[in-house]
Amino acid sequence: MSHDVLNPTPEYLAFWRERHVCTLTTPRPDGTPHVVPVGVTYDPEAGLARVISNKHSKKVRNVLAAQAQAQAQAQAQPSAGGARVAVCQMEGRRWATLEGRAVVRTDEASVADAVARYAVRYGRTPSPNPDRVVIEITLDRAMGRA
């Protein structure tokens, strides 16, 4: 079932506010999917999902590689953005997937905002990490059964 990214149903949004481990799927440089467990926050007002991570992780390297490739192709394909990714969560028969273009944010304000959102959803503040970055996903598709 399709959902409006910016105007999700109350049930869909409530599901994304519950504490669930999610998956993030990023494209490897060879195009194959890389799937890892992550914590995700969903901000429908901004049309964004956020994943905090270590800047040295494979998922971050995948997004950065796709960003670089998209920037190189930007003149030929102006609509190209960051890496095409998906985040997903499930519990029993309920599931939800958000898709969009991801970029890596390193600025202090973006990281602090993402950590605060993570703390609200997951009920704990992550330990300080000077290598923390944010994978910020500009959403264009939402699916699921909540």
Side-chain angles (χ1 to χ4, degrees):
M1 169 182 247
S2 182
H3 292 269
D4 183 338
V5 169
L6 300 175
N7 262 323
T9 65
E11 296 81 14
Y12 192 78
L13 184 56
F15 187 45
W16 274 106
R17 291 193 169 143
E18 295 172 9
R19 188 180 194 280
H20 294 286
V21 174
C22 303
T23 61
L24 169 66
T25 304
T26 59
R28 292 185 183 103
D30 68 2
T32 59
H34 175 72
V35 184
V36 294
V38 294
V40 176
T41 61
Y42 173 32
D43 178 0
E45 293 83 16
L48 298 173
R50 296 174 181 89
V51 175
I52 57 175
S53 184
N54 186 295
K55 70 181 178 183
H56 302 293
S57 71
K58 179 64 175 163
K59 61 187 162 286
V60 168
R61 292 194 314 269
N62 286 343
V63 171
L64 289 172
Q67 270 182 249
Q69 183 179 14
Q71 288 170 351
Q73 296 173 346
Q75 286 182 317
Q77 192 178 16
S79 63
R84 185 87 189 148
V85 303
V87 290
C88 183
Q89 66 180 20
M90 52 108 24
E91 178 186 57
R93 296 182 65 139
R94 299 186 308 157
W95 64 276
T97 300
L98 299 169
E99 296 180 19
R101 297 252 174 219
V103 295
V104 175
R105 302 271 184 231
T106 59
D107 63 283
E108 192 175 314
S110 294
V111 172
D113 179 54
V115 167
R117 290 171 186 277
Y118 178 97
V120 169
R121 181 170 189 201
Y122 291 97
R124 69 173 193 84
T125 301
S127 301
N129 178 354
D131 291 333
R132 183 168 286 129
V133 297
V134 180
I135 298 173
E136 184 180 90
I137 307 161
T138 300
L139 302 170
D140 58 26
R141 182 177 295 162
M143 301 170 284
R145 178 177 301 168

